């Protein structure tokens, strides 16, 4: 006995394949509608699973003894999925007289295919008769169970979404505010759910002030406040990495000026940004103004010479070339430029005007090597600050500085977590 399974779009396709593969003496054992592809049970395509068999010993087996008793031959079975009549009733479970009528219709439709052989199974290992009614009802039941399963999953999703609906006016306003600030919706739902649960556990009524204070507390908990955001006093070299156009060179000049003018440290510059037109000239101009030396490296092999030239410096600022963050080869090249034995910090420079989707992709690519802190630029060009919270939540990065203009060295400050949270929540301070 040779048994073969087919997955097809329609019964005519199956019949043609069975006839080609197994021959005219093959018999259909079972048919069942299945679904394939899709996402989470949705948008899947309907297929038909057909089990067919042929008795391989029929050619050598002795001829059956003739008998006058009539042979009850099973009628060829068609699922009827391609016919208008059965498609209309595809989701109705047949029962009673209706089931018998549908079975009769299916038999009549099956007979419309003249190439379907009227065969039996001579092997004793397989039942000699497969009632057409049983096959049809089995297919209908399987289809119905699959539909019920998908409906159950869909209703579960709706119930979960419904449970996240906010009815308290104070929480509605708070949630809308965070969404407008582009805080990730899932994070917003977690915060709102936590505030609601805490109020219920304590038996308290949620007010505007209590909701705001709870949200402020939840947002602050996302930040790593155990470390200083400022550049460490013993940092020997500070690397600055990031995509193109975020303002790394100008930011380096601002921080270098702070180290020279405020902390009176001896500063040196190294730049590997030889790809961008006038990039070296820009940093050279800042180096001349601050009276600090500048070394240009064209390859990782030039680094040791540059460090030797700047060995008397207290701190070295290294400007790397802005690269396309989607090109992994360019990003990985930075690894060789960031190898240094002394105390170092690596800053990822991001613009607050960048969409968080892109900001997340940038961080994922640059996270392939050690990132110590994140520095944001162009704060003066946006009114949305939720990306800061999202990035800290998703990547657990330490905040550092924020640049809010082009003036050197004035327009840069330490990024205070409380200030960002208050901006997101719309809290006004009149200090």
């Amino acid at each position: 006995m040779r048994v073969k399974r087919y997955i097809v779009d329609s019964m005519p396709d199956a019949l043609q394949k069975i006839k080609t593969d197994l021959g005219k003496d093959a018999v259909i054992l079972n048919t069942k509608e299945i679904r394939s592809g899709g996402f989470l049970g949705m948008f899947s395509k309907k297929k038909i699973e057909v089990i067919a068999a042929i008795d391989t010993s029929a050619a050598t087996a002795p001829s059956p003894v003739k008998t006058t008793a009539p042979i009850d031959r099973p009628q060829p079975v068609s699922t009827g999925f391609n016919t208008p009549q059965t498609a209309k009733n595809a989701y109705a479970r047949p029962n009673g007289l209706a089931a018998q009528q549908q079975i009769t219709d299916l038999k009549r439709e099956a007979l419309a295919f003249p190439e379907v052989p009227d065969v039996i199974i001579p092997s004793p290992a397989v039942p000699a008769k497969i009632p057409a009614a049983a096959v049809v009802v089995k297919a209908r039941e399987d289809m119905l169970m699959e539909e019920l399963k998908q409906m159950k999953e869909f209703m579960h999703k709706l119930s979960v979404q419904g449970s996240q609906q906010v009815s308290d006016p104070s929480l509605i306003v708070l949630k809308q505010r965070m969404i407008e600030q582009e805080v990730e919706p899932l994070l917003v739902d977690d915060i709102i759910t936590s505030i609601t649960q805490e109020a219920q556990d304590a038996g308290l009524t949620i007010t505007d002030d209590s909701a705001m204070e709870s949200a402020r507390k939840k947002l602050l908990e996302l930040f790593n406040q155990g470390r200083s955001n400022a550049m460490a006093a013993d940092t020997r070299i500070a690397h600055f990495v990031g995509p193109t156009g975020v303002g790394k060179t100008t930011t380096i000049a601002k921080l270098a000026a702070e180290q020279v003018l405020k902390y009176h440290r001896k500063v040196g510059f190294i730049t590997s940004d030889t790809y961008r037109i006038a990039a070296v000239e820009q940093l050279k101009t800042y180096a001349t103004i601050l009276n600090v030396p500048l070394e240009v490296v064209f390859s990782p092999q030039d680094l040791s010479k540059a460090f030797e030239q700047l060995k008397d410096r207290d701190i070295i600022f290294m400007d790397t070339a802005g690269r396309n963050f989607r090109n992994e080869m360019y990003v990985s090249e930075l690894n060789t430029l960031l190898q240094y034995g002394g105390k170092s910090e690596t800053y990822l420079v991001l613009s607050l005007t960048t969409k968080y989707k892109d900001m997340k992709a940038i961080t994922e690519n640059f996270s392939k090597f050690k990132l110590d802190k994140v520095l944001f630029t162009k704060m003066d060009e946006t009114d949305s600050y939720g990306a800061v919270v999202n990035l800290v939540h998703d990547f657990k990065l330490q905040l550092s500085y924020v640049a809010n203009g082009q003036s050197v060295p004035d327009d840069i400050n330490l990024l205070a977590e409380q200030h960002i949270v208050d901006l997101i929540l719309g809290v006004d301070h009149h200090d």
Side-chain angles (χ1 to χ4, degrees):
M1 176 67 67
R2 181 185 175 191
V3 180
K4 194 166 183 180
R5 175 174 176 263
Y6 297 87
I7 303 295
V8 294
D9 294 324
S10 65
M11 279 302 296
D13 294 340
L15 295 173
Q16 184 62 38
K17 291 183 178 181
I18 293 171
K19 184 177 180 181
T20 302
D21 295 348
L22 303 180
K24 295 182 178 181
D25 293 329
V27 63
I28 296 176
L29 301 181
N30 188 29
T31 62
K32 179 174 69 173
E33 181 176 337
I34 62 174
R35 289 182 176 270
S36 64
F39 179 72
L40 295 178
M42 301 181 70
F43 309 111
S44 57
K45 296 182 178 180
K46 291 182 180 179
K47 299 283 186 179
I48 302 175
E49 177 189 82
V50 181
I51 307 297
I54 182 68
D55 186 3
T56 56
S57 63
T60 59
S63 301
V65 179
K66 294 184 178 181
T67 176
T68 57
I71 299 176
D72 190 359
R73 297 175 180 268
Q75 295 295 327
V77 179
S78 168
T79 58
F81 294 128
N82 296 325
T83 60
Q85 180 63 30
T86 53
K88 181 175 66 175
N89 300 321
Y91 298 96
R93 183 172 182 175
N95 56 75
L97 294 177
Q100 294 297 327
Q101 182 61 43
Q102 290 185 19
I103 293 168
T104 302
D105 293 341
L106 287 172
K107 288 181 179 180
R108 186 179 300 111
E109 292 163 7
L111 293 175
F113 299 100
E115 72 275 11
V116 181
D118 187 13
V119 297
I120 61 173
I121 303 176
S123 173
V126 181
K129 178 182 177 181
I130 302 177
V135 175
V136 173
V137 173
K138 178 71 164 57
R140 296 283 189 178
E141 289 180 348
D142 290 342
M143 181 178 62
L144 181 61
M145 292 303 295
E146 181 66 23
E147 294 294 333
L148 288 175
K149 180 181 177 182
Q150 293 184 19
M151 183 62 70
K152 183 178 179 181
E153 293 175 353
F154 181 68
M155 293 303 294
H156 175 69
K157 292 177 183 178
L158 289 179
S159 65
V160 171
Q161 294 175 358
S163 64
Q164 296 176 347
Q165 297 298 319
V166 181
S167 58
D168 189 281
S170 300
L171 294 181
I172 292 175
V173 174
L174 180 61
K175 180 176 180 177
Q176 184 63 30
R177 172 68 188 183
M178 288 190 287
I179 292 294
E180 289 174 354
Q181 283 290 308
E182 299 183 7
V183 180
E184 288 286 88
L186 289 178
L187 180 56
V188 173
D189 286 339
D190 288 344
I191 293 173
I192 296 298
T193 300
S194 180
I195 294 174
T196 303
Q197 188 61 48
E198 288 181 357
Q200 291 176 352
D201 294 343
L204 301 175
T205 301
I206 298 176
T207 64
D208 291 347
D209 292 339
S210 66
M212 187 69 68
E213 186 59 32
S214 295
R216 191 172 190 270
K217 179 181 176 182
K218 299 295 180 186
L219 290 172
L220 287 174
E221 289 175 352
L222 300 175
F223 295 94
N224 181 6
Q225 301 184 67
R227 296 167 53 194
S228 172
N229 293 347
M231 186 175 295
D234 59 343
T235 294
R236 176 76 172 85
I237 181 170
H239 305 101
F240 293 83
V241 300
T244 58
V246 295
K248 290 190 300 298
T249 304
T250 303
T251 300
I252 288 173
K254 294 175 182 179
L255 293 174
E258 179 187 47
Q259 294 293 318
V260 171
L261 302 176
K262 184 176 180 179
Y263 299 105
H264 307 291
R265 300 182 73 186
K266 293 190 293 183
V267 173
F269 287 152
I270 294 178
T271 180
S272 63
D273 191 1
T274 56
Y275 299 89
R276 186 166 56 92
I277 298 175
V280 174
E281 292 300 321
Q282 181 184 6
L283 194 59
K284 185 181 292 185
T285 300
Y286 290 134
T288 301
I289 294 173
L290 296 173
N291 193 27
V292 300
L294 168 67
E295 295 292 325
V296 181
V297 298
F298 295 91
S299 68
Q301 289 73 26
D302 297 333
L303 272 178
S304 57
K305 180 181 177 181
F307 287 136
E308 179 64 24
Q309 294 293 327
L310 301 175
K311 62 182 180 181
D312 64 327
R313 301 288 98 181
D314 296 323
I315 183 171
I316 299 171
F317 288 87
M318 184 170 179
D319 185 16
T320 62
R323 299 297 187 90
N324 180 359
F325 68 91
R326 299 186 186 279
N327 191 320
E328 294 189 6
M329 182 184 70
Y330 290 158
V331 174
S332 63
E333 285 179 5
L334 291 176
N335 255 333
T336 55
L337 295 174
L338 302 182
Q339 305 301 321
Y340 182 72
K343 175 68 168 61
S344 66
E345 288 184 333
T346 301
Y347 291 79
L348 174 62
V349 183
L350 298 172
S351 170
L352 283 174
T353 59
T354 304
K355 294 183 299 183
Y356 181 66
K357 181 180 179 181
D358 291 335
M359 197 180 292
K360 186 175 181 179
I362 292 169
T363 307
E364 286 175 346
N365 279 351
F366 281 98
S367 293
K368 291 178 174 61
F369 43 84
K370 183 177 71 75
L371 293 178
D372 296 295
K373 295 178 180 179
V374 58
L375 187 155
F376 292 99
T377 62
K378 303 184 181 182
M379 187 175 182
D380 57 313
E381 298 180 21
T382 183
D383 293 322
S384 176
Y385 311 101
V388 178
V389 172
N390 298 335
L391 197 74
V392 171
H393 175 260
D394 290 341
F395 296 95
K396 312 302 179 186
L397 289 176
Q398 175 72 34
L399 298 182
S400 59
Y401 298 89
V402 59
N404 55 359
Q406 297 296 316
S407 297
V408 179
D410 299 325
D411 294 335
I412 193 167
N413 298 287
L414 286 173
L415 183 55
E417 293 86 352
Q418 295 87 346
H419 182 53
I420 286 294
V421 169
D422 288 344
L423 287 173
I424 291 174
L425 297 179
V427 177
D428 296 323
H429 290 283
H430 304 284
D431 296 330

